[in-house]
């Protein structure tokens, strides 16, 4: 069984640019959640996708957007990058959206904004 | 809103010592509770979970019991190894999203 994978591993961008991060969910999972983890902090929820629809969103501006595809893989897009967007971006997949459904995390994408 | 408060680190221990990391939560409903572990340069790995009051989660020698009366989910291990050195995160899920604590860095010395 393949776990959650993310690409790329590392990325360096400059302020004002746009970035797309990708995530492949674990086999059998239909839900993908994205989190931002700043250095030395706990992950913060960005949004969740369930069967290609956004199921919930955290306190992030609209320049953070996402997609989920029919195979349940997902993209996170960030426009107009700011220095504070430098972080580890984590994707997690689960078999449902409920509170008891365990979210399994990928290795993350380290984004550096210069 | 829902939140998690966990013991501040860093925590430094000798091998075979007893480890406890305190975690308390605030939630309006009846959340599921989780401990995740993050090794250097990696993503999060699920360590254990509990979905209702008095449930005990356990894995790899780690244990935590869901205490509704004290709104706590403290992590314990009786004898730590150098390989347990990592950052540990307590988290809750009351609906669909995880809310994490700030993390506790644990270093185990041989």
């Amino acid at each position: 069984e393949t776990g959650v994978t993310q690409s790329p591993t590392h990325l360096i961008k400059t302020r004002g640019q746009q970035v797309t991060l990708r995530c492949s969910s674990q086999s059998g999972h239909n839900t993908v959640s994205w989190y931002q983890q700043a250095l030395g902090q706990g992950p913060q929820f960005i949004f969740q996708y369930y069967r290609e629809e956004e199921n919930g969103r955290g306190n992030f501006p609209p320049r953070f957007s996402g997609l989920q595809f029919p195979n349940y893989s997902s993209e996170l897009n960030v426009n107009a990058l700011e220095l504070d967007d430098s972080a580890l971006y984590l994707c997690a997949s689960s078999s449902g959206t409920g509170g008891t459904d365990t979210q399994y995390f990928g290795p993350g994408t380290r984004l550096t904004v210069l | 809103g829902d939140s998690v408060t966990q013991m501040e680190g860093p925590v430094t221990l000798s091998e075979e010592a007893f480890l406890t990391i305190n975690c308390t939560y605030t939630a309006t409903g009846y959340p599921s509770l989780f401990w995740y572990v993050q090794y250097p340069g990696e993503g999060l790995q699920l360590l254990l979970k509990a979905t209702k009051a008095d449930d005990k989660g356990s894995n790899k020698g780690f244990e935590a019991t869901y205490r509704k009366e004290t709104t706590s989910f403290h992590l314990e291990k009786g004898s730590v190894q150098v390989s347990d050195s990592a950052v540990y995160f307590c988290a809750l899920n009351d609906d669909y999203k995880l809310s994490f604590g700030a993390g506790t860095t644990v270093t185990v010395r041989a």
Side-chain angles (χ1 to χ4, degrees):
Chain A
E1 183 179 276
T2 306
V4 179
T5 60
Q6 293 185 242
S7 63
T9 305
H10 296 88
L11 205 50
I12 299 175
K13 292 286 188 178
T14 55
R15 218 167 28 167
Q17 286 189 310
Q18 177 267 342
V19 69
T20 298
L21 310 182
R22 295 179 174 82
C23 170
S24 291
S25 59
Q26 186 170 310
S27 176
H29 287 181
N30 56 19
T31 303
V32 171
S33 304
W34 286 92
Y35 295 82
Q36 180 196 65
Q37 185 180 18
L39 198 61
Q41 297 182 24
Q44 299 293 316
F45 175 76
I46 303 174
F47 43 56
Q48 182 182 84
Y49 279 84
Y50 171 67
R51 294 188 175 180
E52 303 178 60
E53 296 289 331
E54 186 178 290
N55 184 55
R57 188 178 183 92
N59 189 27
F60 280 81
R63 60 190 183 82
F64 285 78
S65 63
L67 282 174
Q68 188 179 32
F69 300 100
N71 66 354
Y72 303 129
S73 65
S74 177
E75 285 183 356
L76 164 65
N77 298 290
V78 187
N79 293 322
L81 283 167
E82 300 177 0
L83 297 180
D84 284 349
D85 296 334
S86 295
L88 181 67
Y89 288 84
L90 295 163
C91 165
S93 75
S94 54
S95 57
T97 62
T100 59
D101 292 307
T102 300
Q103 296 187 19
Y104 295 92
F105 285 80
T109 294
R110 173 73 62 187
L111 173 64
T112 302
V113 182
L114 302 176
Chain B
D2 296 348
S3 66
V4 172
T5 302
Q6 64 180 100
M7 186 173 89
E8 291 186 15
V11 174
T12 303
L13 302 163
S14 298
E15 216 167 16
E16 299 184 3
F18 183 84
L19 171 67
T20 299
I21 304 176
N22 290 339
C23 171
T24 57
Y25 68 89
T26 302
T28 53
Y30 301 94
S32 295
L33 301 174
F34 303 82
W35 278 100
Y36 283 87
V37 59
Q38 187 172 38
Y39 298 101
E42 298 185 10
L44 300 178
Q45 295 180 23
L46 176 68
L47 186 56
L48 52 84
K49 75 177 206 181
T51 59
K52 61 182 188 296
D54 299 325
D55 267 2
K56 178 187 279 189
S58 61
N59 186 28
K60 298 180 182 178
F62 290 90
E63 293 183 342
T65 301
Y66 190 137
R67 301 285 187 201
K68 184 164 173 262
E69 63 276 13
T70 54
T71 61
S72 65
F73 193 54
H74 304 322
L75 182 69
E76 296 181 338
K77 186 174 185 182
S79 178
V80 293
Q81 305 299 314
V82 172
S83 57
D84 293 325
S85 298
V87 181
Y88 293 81
F89 292 95
C90 185
L92 68 81
N93 189 335
D94 193 27
D95 188 1
Y96 55 89
K97 68 179 188 291
L98 287 167
S99 298
F100 287 88
T104 302
T105 301
V106 173
T107 302
V108 181
R109 295 184 172 169

